């Protein structure tokens, strides 16, 4: 179910889809909305409220920061992904251009980074980013964890037997990367054993989470 602009926040996680033109081909990816990112999405819907017309988005690995950036870009927001890996002078120029009416005059700027604060050597850039709106994706609660498991399973074409999330959520490590790794392990083990993804597969996947598959995604 998509959370439409202007709707009341739901108690259960929902999803929004990126426009087709925002991805190379195929079905557009979907962003699960829940406790960890609902406030971020609300802020992205209202860039007119951002101080200095700029915001900084951070979050844990595999939390959908870049997907949110694509969605924000489709809403008319200029996006600078991996800002913490870019040349500081370039980031400083982009921030100033938003303030001074450059080629993208009036367009809000979203900077995406892995963590806040990251090491910035330019004092002027550090102070300007510090004055921008700070948005952070948190950790998913039980409802969002269940929705993420279901979304990853749907994306992989894995048919989970009834009761899967009730069993998995209390036992799974919490975190976006860990939940993605769990579904990847369920998919792999189900294919290797040529059996449906039922409880025996769920158990084996949970046991495998400390192996190389989780380390690869983390």
């Amino acid at each position: 179910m998509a959370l439409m602009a202007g709707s009341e926040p739901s108690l259960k996680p929902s999803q929004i889809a990126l426009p087709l033109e925002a991805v190379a081909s195929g079905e557009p990816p979907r962003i699960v909305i829940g406790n960890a990112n609902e406030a971020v999405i609300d802020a992205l819907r209202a860039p007119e409220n951002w101080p200095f017309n700029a915001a900084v988005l951070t979050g844990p690995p595999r939390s959908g920061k870049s997907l949110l950036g694509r969605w924000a870009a489709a809403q008319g927001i200029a996006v600078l992904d991996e800002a913490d890996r870019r040349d500081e002078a370039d980031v400083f120029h982009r921030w100033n251009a938003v303030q001074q009416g450059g080629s993208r005059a009036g367009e809000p700027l979203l900077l995406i980074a892995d963590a806040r604060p990251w090491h910035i050597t330019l004092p002027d850039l550090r102070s300007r980013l510090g004055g921008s709106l700070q948005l952070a994706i948190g950790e998913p609660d039980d409802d969002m964890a269940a929705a993420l498991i279901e979304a990853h399973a749907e994306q992989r074409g894995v048919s989970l037997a009834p009761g899967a999330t009730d069993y998995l959520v209390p036992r799974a490590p919490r975190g976006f990367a860990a939940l993605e790794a769990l579904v990847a392990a369920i998919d792999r083990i189900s294919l290797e054993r040529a059996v449906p993804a039922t409880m025996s597969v769920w158990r084996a996947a949970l046991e495998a989470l400390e192996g190389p598959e989780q380390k690869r995604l983390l």
Side-chain angles (χ1 to χ4, degrees), residues 110-157:
L110 175 67
L111 299 103
I112 301 176
D114 284 339
R116 177 180 60 87
W118 67 89
H119 179 66
I120 300 174
T121 59
L122 289 177
D124 287 344
L125 176 61
R126 186 165 56 246
S127 65
R128 282 160 173 75
L129 294 186
S132 303
L133 179 65
Q134 306 298 317
L135 303 174
I137 300 174
E139 292 292 345
D141 62 9
D142 286 354
D143 286 339
M144 190 174 185
L148 287 165
I149 290 172
E150 291 171 350
H152 285 307
E154 180 182 357
Q155 184 179 19
R156 287 178 169 270

Side-chain angles (χ1 to χ4, degrees), residues 72-91:
Q75 316 306 309
I77 296 171
V79 177
L80 193 63
D81 203 355
E82 297 185 338
D84 49 340
R85 295 182 176 89
R86 293 178 179 265
D87 181 76
E88 291 185 4
D90 177 55
V91 177

